[in-house]
Amino acid sequence: MRKAFCYVLAVLILSLLSNLLLYAEEVEIKSGYLQYDDQDKYLVARDSVTLTWKNKLLKADTIYFWVDEDKVRADGYVVLRDSSNVIFGDSLTYDLKTETGTINKSSCYFSPWVVHSNNLTKINDKTYIAGTSKFTTCDLIKPHYYIYGSRAKILTGKRIYIYNPVFLVRNMPVFYMPLFTQGLGKKRDSLEIYPGYNNLDGITARVIYGHPLTEHTYSKLYLDYFAKRGLGTGLEYNYDIPGKIRGTFYGYNIKEKITDPNGLTTSSERWNLKEEHWQKLSPYWTAQSKLDFISDASFNNLYYQENWMRIARELNSSLAFTRQTPKSSFRMTTARRDVYDTIINDFKADNISFPLLEYTRYPKKTFLGLYFTYNTNLLNQYIALNDFYTWSSASNFNIYKNYNLTRKLTLTPSLGMNETWSDRTPKLNASNVLIPGNYDLNNIFVSRFLSDFNLKYRVMRAMDWNLLHQYKLRTKKNLMDIDTNGDDYGEETNQVVFRNSMYLSRRVIVRNSATYDFRRSRTIFIEDWRQKFSPLVNELTWQPAFSYTIYVKEATNIYPHTLNSVQTLFMYGNRDDKYLNLGLFYNGLTPTQADFNVGLGFNPTAKWRVEYNIYSTETRDFREIRTNDQELKVARDLHCWMLGLRFLRRLAYEEVYLSIDLKTSFKKRKELYNRPHEQEFYPWR
C-alpha cells in the first residue's frame, strides 16, 4: 500500500512540474520512497528505484534528479541499460538532455567483449571513453586472459580501440602493442598471427588482417616476415553485390634479399597481381575482366602456396563485353596469353587477340519442325610463332530435328556448314620450317561440311545407349572442291561414338564409351584395324550413403590391349567435420609410376582437431615412394582461444607455423569472409 501511494505521489509531482521539466512526458520514476525539494528543485528516490526515458532504463539504490538542469545522479548498484548494452557500476552522473555521463567502477558488455573500467564516460549516444580498463571475451568468472589498456574508445555496434594494450594470460604479461582495434558489428575485423620457422629463412611470421569496408565488401592485408628474405606485403579486396557486381583484387610484393656464399647481399623484386571483375551494365549488357601477372614462374611455390598451380607456365588476361537476350548473344573480347620463357627467365606475349567479336543465335524452331543455330566470329590475332597479326573469321550454320521413331528410339540428324577465312598465311622455307615475320597477303577461304546422326535408345528404364556418327569434309583453299589431295583425303572427322549409361540405382551410375575412327591417312600406316579404336573409357560413380562417394575412371587401349590410365577417388564426410579422401592416378605414358594422395580430418576428442594431407609418387615399379607434399594441421580448443600448429613439406622445403586465435574471431571470420564468393576466384580455398 505504501509503494502504491508513492507511485501515485510521483506522478502528481511530475505533472505539477510540467512547465519546468523538459522530459516530463518521457520520464517515468518508480521507487519505494520519493521526495521533492521545491527550493532546490530536485527529486530524491530511494528503495529499488527505476527511471526510464527514451527506451533507456536506469536502476539504483538512490537516484537524485535535478529538474531544471535535467541531470541525474545515481548511487549503489547502478544498472544502465542503453539499447542492447548493459552497464553496471557503483555510481553514475548523467545529463538527460545531452545524453552524456560518467559511470565509476563499471562493468559492461559490448558483444563479444566484457569490459571492466575504473571510469566509463559516455560522450554521445554511440561513443564511450574508458580510463584504465580490462577487456576479455572469456565468459569465466576468472578469465583465462584479458587485455589491459590505459585508455579505450568504444563505438557501440561498430568498433573498439584499446590504447597501449598488454595481453595477459593467467595474469602474466605475454604481448604488447601500441593499439588494438576490433569491430563490434555483424562483420567484425579478423586478425590472424602465425609465427613460424622454415629451413630456408629460420624464423618467420605471417599476419592476415581482415577488415569489412561495407556490407558487401571486405579487404585482407597480408604481412609476411622472413628472417633472410625480408618483408612481404599483400592486399586483397573482395566485393559482391548480388546480381549487380562482383569481383576481387589481389596483389603481393616482396623485395627479396639474396646473400651469395661470399656474403654479398643483393635484392630481387618478386610480385603477383590478380584481378577479376563481373558487372551487370543493363538488363542485357554485362562486362567482365581478368588480369593475371606474376614476376616469375616459381613465385607461387614460395609466397602463394595455397595456389594449386605451383609453377606458373602461362598467364591469361582478358576484357569482354557481352549482350545476351533470350534469342542470341553478342560478345566483344580482347585477350592476352603470356608464356614463361626459361631462356630469358621471364614471361612474354605468346598470343594476343584484339578484338574478338562473337555472335551466337540460339536454336530456333522453323518450318517442318526443324531447328537451326548459327554463330560467327571475327578475330584480329597476334601469334608469337608467326610474328605478325592476322585477321580471321569462322562461321557455323547447323540444322537439326528430333525424330521419335518408337517410344524408346530417338534419331537426331544434323547438317551443317563451317566457313573459315584469314587475310594472310605464314611462309615456309624449303624444309617446311616457318619463317617468322614473313607471310603471303592472300585471302584464304576454307569450307567444311558437317553431318551428325545421333541414335538414342532407351534399353530399359535404367539404361541408355547413344550411337553417334560424326562426319566433316574440308574443301580446298578458295575452292568448293573437296581436298582429296590432303593427307587425310579431306576427311577431318569420320568416326562413330558409342556411349552407355546405366543408372543401377539413385546412388550407382556406370558409364562406358568408345570411338572408332574411319579416317584414312597417306603418311600414317595402320597395321591392324583395331588400332583405330580410341581407349575404352569406363566410369563408376557410387554413393553408398549420403556422406560417401566413390569415383573410378579407367581407360584401356583396345589394341594393343594395355592400360591407358586409371583415376580412383574415395571421399567421405565434409571439410568442416570428419573426412577422408583417397586418390590414385596412373598414366600409361609413365608406366613405372603412379601418384596418390591421402587427406583426412577428425576430432580425437571434443577439444582436439587433426588434419593430414599427403601427395606422393610411387616409382620404379612401385618399389620407391617419393613424397611431394605433406601437410599436418593440429588444433586445440582452449575455451576462449584456438591454438593451432601447421607443418608443411614440399620436397626439400619445410616450414612450421603456430597460430593463437581468439575463438570469437575464429567464428566471426566465417561471417566476414564470403567463402563461396572467394572460391569462384580462388578455387583452392
Side-chain angles (χ1 to χ4, degrees):
M1 185 68 182
R2 183 173 177 270
K3 275 191 175 182
F5 175 76
C6 291
Y7 292 157
V8 174
L9 180 61
V11 173
L12 290 174
I13 292 173
L14 291 174
S15 299
L16 292 172
L17 296 173
S18 59
N19 60 329
L20 297 174
L21 186 57
L22 185 63
Y23 291 90
E25 295 180 358
E26 303 175 9
V27 175
E28 181 181 354
I29 299 178
K30 296 179 181 180
S31 68
Y33 172 83
L34 188 64
Q35 179 184 352
Y36 176 67
D37 189 320
D38 187 50
Q39 182 176 354
D40 294 332
K41 293 186 172 52
Y42 74 88
L43 290 172
V44 179
R46 296 187 178 91
D47 191 6
S48 301
V49 186
T50 301
L51 186 147
T52 57
W53 80 103
K54 290 185 177 180
N55 295 324
K56 298 177 178 64
L57 182 143
L58 174 63
K59 290 183 177 182
D61 289 346
T62 304
I63 292 180
Y64 300 88
F65 185 7
W66 282 267
V67 177
D68 287 344
E69 299 177 11
D70 302 319
K71 293 182 178 179
V72 172
R73 192 185 82 198
D75 296 316
Y77 299 104
V78 177
V79 179
L80 175 63
R81 188 183 299 276
D82 183 359
S83 299
S84 60
N85 304 311
V86 180
I87 304 173
F88 302 88
D90 287 352
S91 62
L92 168 145
T93 58
Y94 202 88
D95 191 318
L96 299 179
K97 184 182 293 183
T98 61
E99 296 289 351
T100 60
T102 300
I103 305 172
N104 298 313
K105 296 192 180 300
S106 64
S107 297
C108 51
Y109 180 71
F110 297 95
S111 178
W113 293 97
V114 177
V115 184
H116 302 280
S117 177
N118 287 340
N119 56 79
L120 184 67
T121 302
K122 184 179 181 182
I123 61 176
N124 59 47
D125 196 42
K126 296 291 184 181
T127 307
Y128 292 86
I129 299 295
T132 304
S133 307
K134 293 180 180 180
F135 293 77
T136 185
T137 59
C138 184
D139 56 5
L140 298 179
I141 296 176
K142 292 184 178 181
H144 288 127
Y145 87 99
Y146 61 87
I147 303 173
Y148 177 89
S150 61
R151 188 169 66 92
K153 183 177 181 180
I154 304 170
L155 305 177
T156 58
K158 292 185 178 179
R159 180 168 295 279
I160 64 168
Y161 299 90
I162 306 175
Y163 300 92
N164 300 313
V166 178
F167 291 73
L168 296 99
V169 177
R170 298 295 189 185
N171 294 321
M172 180 181 295
V174 295
F175 190 70
Y176 165 82
M177 58 194 306
L179 174 67
F180 175 81
T181 178
Q182 191 178 69
L184 297 177
K186 181 179 179 181
K187 289 190 174 182
R188 301 171 185 158
D189 292 357
S190 169
L191 181 63
E192 303 169 70
I193 302 175
Y194 303 101
Y197 178 90
N198 67 50
N199 59 352
L200 183 62
D201 290 276
I203 296 176
T204 64
R206 161 164 283 195
V207 177
I208 306 176
Y209 173 65
H211 176 67
L213 299 173
T214 68
E215 182 182 357
H216 301 286
T217 67
Y218 61 90
S219 62
K220 294 181 183 180
L221 176 65
Y222 298 89
L223 295 174
D224 293 340
Y225 168 75
F226 303 99
K228 295 182 180 179
R229 285 175 285 168
L231 183 66
T233 58
L235 178 66
E236 180 181 326
Y237 176 64
N238 293 284
Y239 51 94
D240 182 14
I241 301 177
K244 295 182 179 180
I245 185 174
R246 66 179 183 272
T248 187
F249 169 84
Y250 174 85
Y252 188 94
N253 176 268
I254 181 172
K255 188 167 285 188
E256 190 178 62
K257 297 178 183 178
I258 304 173
T259 303
D260 63 17
N262 298 322
L264 181 64
T265 300
T266 59
S267 62
S268 174
E269 192 164 13
R270 306 179 73 177
W271 49 269
N272 185 10
L273 179 65
K274 174 184 174 67
E275 179 272 340
E276 290 195 49
H277 176 83
W278 178 91
Q279 183 174 353
K280 194 172 186 64
L281 304 176
S282 72
Y284 292 141
W285 282 93
T286 59
Q288 192 171 357
S289 66
K290 178 181 179 181
L291 294 177
D292 193 9
F293 296 103
I294 196 169
S295 60
D296 56 89
S298 60
F299 174 91
N300 292 341
N301 209 32
L302 287 177
Y303 302 107
Y304 202 15
Q305 294 180 349
E306 63 176 1
N307 195 326
W308 289 336
M309 187 182 295
R310 310 287 169 76
I311 303 297
R313 297 300 183 188
E314 67 175 52
L315 306 173
N316 294 280
S317 301
S318 62
L319 173 65
F321 296 91
T322 304
R323 184 180 189 274
Q324 190 165 10
T325 69
K327 296 181 179 180
S328 64
S329 69
F330 173 69
R331 184 179 177 90
M332 299 181 294
T333 307
T334 177
R336 171 179 173 137
R337 183 180 70 193
D338 292 78
V339 176
Y340 189 72
D341 191 329
T342 55
I343 298 177
I344 63 175
N345 193 30
D346 200 1
F347 288 90
K348 66 178 183 180
D350 177 70
N351 191 306
I352 300 175
S353 301
F354 180 74
L356 169 59
L357 306 177
E358 300 171 281
Y359 174 79
T360 299
R361 184 66 168 81
Y362 300 145
K364 179 181 179 181
K365 190 174 182 179
T366 60
F367 60 93
L368 301 178
L370 296 173
Y371 288 85
F372 85 89
T373 62
Y374 173 75
N375 65 76
T376 185
N377 65 60
L378 179 63
L379 171 64
N380 184 33
Q381 185 179 41
Y382 170 82
I383 300 176
L385 186 63
N386 299 338
D387 197 25
F388 60 82
Y389 275 91
T390 302
W391 280 98
S392 62
S393 176
S395 300
N396 296 279
F397 179 81
N398 185 267
I399 297 177
Y400 67 92
K401 184 179 180 179
N402 295 323
Y403 293 94
N404 296 320
L405 303 180
T406 67
R407 187 169 59 89
K408 294 185 176 182
L409 189 62
T410 302
L411 175 65
T412 305
S414 171
L415 295 175
M417 182 176 179
N418 167 262
E419 184 77 28
T420 60
W421 163 82
S422 62
D423 66 338
R424 64 190 68 186
T425 55
K427 283 185 177 180
L428 303 177
N429 60 19
S431 302
N432 289 327
V433 177
L434 182 70
I435 305 175
N438 286 267
Y439 50 86
D440 290 323
L441 281 172
N442 295 317
N443 290 326
I444 304 298
F445 288 90
V446 176
S447 300
R448 293 172 176 84
F449 302 99
L450 308 90
S451 70
D452 288 351
F453 288 89
N454 186 8
L455 190 65
K456 183 176 181 180
Y457 179 55
R458 173 61 62 90
V459 181
M460 58 182 68
R461 185 176 182 180
M463 181 182 290
D464 289 329
W465 286 352
N466 271 73
L467 188 64
L468 174 65
H469 179 260
Q470 298 174 319
Y471 192 66
K472 182 189 295 186
L473 283 176
R474 182 186 65 253
T475 66
K476 296 178 180 179
K477 296 178 181 178
N478 299 328
L479 295 173
M480 294 303 293
D481 298 335
I482 302 301
D483 186 15
T484 54
N485 296 326
D487 182 69
D488 57 1
Y489 298 91
E491 291 184 349
E492 290 191 353
T493 304
N494 185 5
Q495 63 183 17
V496 171
V497 182
F498 175 76
R499 299 189 183 99
N500 172 50
S501 300
M502 292 185 292
Y503 308 92
L504 304 182
S505 71
R506 295 178 59 186
R507 300 184 180 277
V508 182
I509 301 174
V510 177
R511 292 186 174 92
N512 317 95
S513 63
T515 301
Y516 187 82
D517 194 344
F518 288 96
R519 290 182 304 166
R520 298 170 296 164
S521 175
R522 295 181 186 274
T523 57
I524 301 176
F525 177 70
I526 303 297
E527 296 181 355
D528 192 295
W529 62 274
R530 290 172 292 182
Q531 290 179 264
K532 291 191 173 185
F533 277 104
S534 69
L536 174 63
V537 179
N538 303 295
E539 292 181 78
L540 168 66
T541 303
W542 180 24
Q543 286 187 305
F546 178 77
S547 55
Y548 293 85
T549 300
I550 298 174
Y551 175 78
V552 179
K553 182 177 181 180
E554 178 261 351
T556 303
N557 297 320
I558 294 178
Y559 187 84
H561 187 74
T562 56
L563 184 62
N564 183 281
S565 64
V566 176
Q567 178 181 354
T568 303
L569 298 173
F570 170 78
M571 293 165 283
Y572 163 73
N574 59 76
R575 300 291 298 184
D576 295 328
D577 192 11
K578 54 185 176 182
Y579 68 89
L580 174 63
N581 298 329
L582 302 174
L584 174 65
F585 309 92
Y586 170 82
N587 193 317
L589 297 177
T590 54
T592 61
Q593 72 178 46
D595 297 321
F596 72 89
N597 67 271
V598 177
L600 61 91
F602 64 99
N603 298 338
T605 68
K607 298 291 186 180
W608 285 93
R609 171 73 173 175
V610 177
E611 293 186 53
Y612 180 71
N613 290 275
I614 183 172
Y615 302 87
S616 298
T617 299
E618 293 181 300
T619 59
R620 298 180 59 192
D621 295 329
F622 309 106
R623 288 175 293 174
E624 180 180 318
I625 298 179
R626 182 183 72 240
T627 300
N628 302 320
D629 281 16
Q630 192 173 184
E631 183 181 40
L632 174 66
K633 294 181 181 179
V634 180
R636 175 71 163 89
D637 186 337
L638 298 176
H639 184 255
C640 48
W641 292 86
M642 291 295 294
L643 175 66
L645 180 69
R646 173 178 176 264
F647 171 77
L648 174 67
R649 173 186 290 163
R650 286 185 175 175
L651 299 179
Y653 179 79
E654 295 181 356
E655 70 176 8
V656 60
Y657 277 111
L658 178 70
S659 66
I660 303 176
D661 197 7
L662 275 174
K663 190 182 290 186
T664 53
S665 300
F666 177 78
K667 292 179 179 178
K668 284 299 177 180
R669 193 174 299 135
K670 296 181 179 180
E671 298 180 8
L672 172 60
Y673 297 153
N674 185 346
R675 290 303 185 191
H677 168 80
E678 289 188 16
Q679 288 173 354
E680 178 182 353
F681 305 109
Y682 309 94
W684 46 83
R685 293 185 179 175

